[in-house]
Amino acid sequence: MTTEQPIKKRRKISYLPSIISISLVLFMLGLFGIILINGNKLSNHLLENFQLTIFLNENATEADIQNINRQIVAHEYTKKAIYVSKEEAAQAFAKETGQDFVTFLGFNPLLPSIELFVKSKYANAETIKQIETELRRNKAIQDVVYQSSIIEEIHKNIKTIGSTLILISLVFLLIAVALINNTIRLNLYARRFIIKSMQMVGATHWFIIKPFAFKSFLHGLYGGIISCILLSGLLYWTPFWIPEIAALYDNSQFAILFVVVIIAGIIISMVSSMISTNRYLRMKIDDLY
C-alpha cells in the first residue's frame, strides 16, 4: 500500500459527514414537499366529495331520468353522477335509521335522485350556484339540495392552511440553504491553506475553484440521491401504518419532487463552494490563521 492510498481514504471519510448532513437537510426539505403535495391532493379530495343531491319529479319517466343523467355526466364540471332510485333511497334510509318506514306508511314517499360530485376546480360557491340554476331549468328536476356553508368552510380552511404551508416551506428552504452552506464552508475551512497555496504558485481562480465545485457537485448529487431513497422508503412504508394516505399519492408529482430535491442539493452545494472558495482567495495569508 502506497502512502497516497491512506491519504485518499482519509479524504473520502472526511467528506462523509458533509454528504450525510446534506442528505438529511434535503430529506427534511423533501418531506415538507411531500406534505405540500399530499395537502393539495387532500384539498382536491375534500372538494370532489362535496355532493349536490338532485331530486327528480315522482312522475319522471325512465327515459327522462336517463336523459337527465346523460346530460349531467356529459358536463365538464362532473366528476361522477350516481342515480339513486326510490327503492334504493328507502333501503339506505331504513339501514341508517333501523326503521322500515315503507311498511309502516304503506308507500314510499322518497323521490328518485342523482348524487352529483363536481371536479375540484368547479367546487366553489359561485360555480355551484350557477350549476344549481342551470339544473333547475329542467322541468323533470324538482329540487337541488346541497350545503353551501360546507363548501365555503372547506375553501376557507384550504386558504388558511395553504398560506401557512407556503410560509413554512419558505422558512424550510432558507434553513436548508443555510445548513448546506455552513456544511460546505466548514469542509472548505479545513482546506483553506491548500486553496491559498495554489493561488500563490500562480493557479488561476477557475483552476482552483473547479475541483472544489466538482466535489460539491458530487456531494450534492449523493446527498440528493440518499435523501430520495429515504423519502421513497417513507412513502412505501407509510400506507402500512396509515392505509388511507395511499389514496392521496401522486407518483408523477413525487418523481418531479425527487428531481427538484437532487437539483436543489447540487445547486446549493456548488454555489456555496464557489462563494467560500472565492472568499479564501480574496483573504490575505495572515487572515487564514
Side-chain angles (χ1 to χ4, degrees):
M1 181 183 290
T2 63
T3 55
E4 290 183 0
Q5 288 177 321
I7 294 172
K8 288 181 178 179
K9 188 175 180 181
R10 283 197 298 271
R11 283 180 182 173
K12 288 180 180 178
I13 294 172
S14 68
Y15 286 129
L16 192 60
S18 174
I19 295 171
I20 292 173
S21 299
I22 292 170
S23 63
L24 291 176
V25 172
L26 292 176
F27 172 77
M28 293 302 297
L29 192 63
L31 180 60
F32 198 78
I34 289 173
I35 293 171
L36 281 174
I37 291 171
N38 283 347
N40 184 54
K41 292 287 289 184
L42 179 59
S43 65
N44 288 340
H45 179 74
L46 290 172
L47 290 171
E48 289 180 351
N49 274 277
F50 178 75
Q51 177 184 325
L52 291 87
T53 303
I54 304 165
F55 290 104
L56 306 172
N57 290 326
E58 191 170 4
N59 57 359
T61 64
E62 188 66 28
D64 290 334
I65 293 169
Q66 289 182 3
N67 186 45
I68 293 169
N69 196 54
R70 187 165 50 248
Q71 288 176 6
I72 291 172
V73 171
H75 276 291
E76 61 179 355
Y77 57 69
T78 302
K79 176 70 177 178
K80 63 179 178 179
I82 303 170
Y83 171 65
V84 181
S85 66
K86 291 178 62 173
E87 293 74 22
E88 289 171 333
Q91 290 172 7
F93 188 85
K95 186 176 180 181
E96 190 175 321
T97 60
Q99 297 177 354
D100 187 2
F101 68 95
V102 175
T103 303
F104 177 76
L105 295 175
F107 69 99
N108 185 358
L110 300 179
L111 296 171
S113 64
I114 296 174
E115 294 177 356
L116 171 61
F117 299 87
V118 300
K119 294 174 183 176
S120 58
K121 65 178 181 179
Y122 297 100
N124 58 77
E126 185 179 344
T127 306
I128 294 294
K129 189 66 180 175
Q130 291 174 357
I131 293 171
E132 179 193 358
T133 303
E134 180 185 330
L135 290 170
R136 286 184 182 277
R137 292 196 187 106
N138 195 312
K139 293 180 180 180
I141 294 174
Q142 180 170 310
D143 198 7
V144 179
V145 177
Y146 63 93
Q147 291 182 296
S148 58
S149 59
I150 290 179
I151 196 75
E152 291 171 359
E153 193 64 28
I154 290 173
H155 274 284
K156 182 181 176 182
N157 291 335
I158 288 172
K159 187 176 180 180
T160 303
I161 294 170
S163 301
T164 305
L165 288 177
I166 290 171
L167 181 61
I168 296 174
S169 65
L170 291 174
V171 173
F172 260 78
L173 182 60
L174 290 174
I175 292 172
V177 171
L179 289 175
I180 292 175
N181 179 59
N182 191 52
T183 300
I184 298 297
R185 286 181 62 187
L186 287 173
N187 198 21
L188 287 174
Y189 179 78
R191 292 162 178 79
R192 64 194 185 282
F193 290 110
I194 297 174
I195 294 170
K196 202 64 181 176
S197 298
M198 292 171 71
Q199 184 186 30
M200 291 176 69
V201 296
T204 62
H205 279 216
W206 175 241
F207 182 84
I208 299 169
I209 290 171
K210 187 166 62 173
F212 293 105
F214 180 70
K215 282 287 184 184
S216 295
F217 167 84
L218 292 178
H219 293 175
L221 177 64
Y222 296 153
I225 291 171
I226 292 169
S227 66
C228 289
I229 291 171
L230 294 174
L231 291 168
S232 298
L234 182 67
L235 288 171
Y236 176 79
W237 287 106
T238 301
F240 289 99
W241 306 318
I242 312 172
E244 296 81 6
I245 202 169
L248 303 176
Y249 278 11
D250 188 330
N251 292 330
S252 61
Q253 289 194 16
F254 290 152
I256 294 171
L257 174 66
F258 290 166
V259 172
V260 169
V261 166
I262 292 172
I263 292 174
I266 291 171
I267 292 174
I268 296 171
S269 297
M270 288 187 68
V271 171
S272 298
S273 175
M274 293 171 73
I275 291 172
S276 296
T277 307
N278 254 320
R279 177 171 168 268
Y280 291 124
L281 288 172
R282 290 196 304 269
M283 291 173 67
K284 295 180 179 179
I285 190 72
D286 293 336
D287 297 332
L288 296 177
Y289 292 93

